[in-house]
Amino acid sequence: MPPGENQTSDEALDGQKPGDKGSGVFAVPDPTSPEQGAFKKVIVSDITYPDCVRRGQNCMVYKWLPKKLSQGTTECPTKGVLCNKSCAHDLCLCINGTCQ
């Protein structure tokens, strides 16, 4: 997984304009954990897709959604489901082949 992997679906971008706002879901390295590959998930609301891409460049993975997500809930409801490049659920990111 290359740094800053963009997992935004083509469907999320359909019909959107550069100034349209939504939410970004970002996986950032967690230096507080001794586990290799540990990460924290961060949700940023009210950002444009270009801003999400810019902010995501130094993250592990990220995606943009054309909707407002709650910043308090980051748990993936389909955690552990096998994935390839992305996960269907808004709060999930595909990390090392499973939804997280």
Side-chain angles (χ1 to χ4, degrees):
M1 158 179 50
E5 181 182 324
N6 186 344
Q7 296 185 357
T8 304
S9 70
D10 291 338
E11 293 81 22
L13 299 177
D14 283 349
Q16 301 298 316
K17 296 178 182 105
D20 290 347
K21 295 195 175 181
S23 299
V25 182
F26 304 88
V28 296
D30 182 1
T32 65
S33 175
E35 237 180 86
Q36 183 169 346
F39 66 93
K40 290 182 180 182
K41 199 180 303 172
V42 178
I43 295 173
V44 179
S45 296
D46 205 32
I47 63 172
T48 64
Y49 176 68
D51 191 24
C52 182
V53 171
R54 182 183 56 75
R55 293 181 191 201
Q57 293 305 304
N58 293 319
C59 297
M60 296 166 62
V61 298
Y62 66 95
K63 70 179 173 183
W64 182 83
L65 299 153
K67 59 178 83 169
K68 184 172 182 153
L69 296 177
S70 169
Q71 293 174 325
T73 304
T74 61
E75 190 65 32
C76 173
T78 57
K79 188 173 183 172
V81 170
L82 297 179
C83 59
N84 180 25
K85 299 182 184 174
S86 67
C87 296
H89 195 278
D90 292 347
L91 296 175
C92 303
L93 294 166
C94 185
I95 298 176
N96 296 325
T98 61
C99 291
Q100 301 292 317

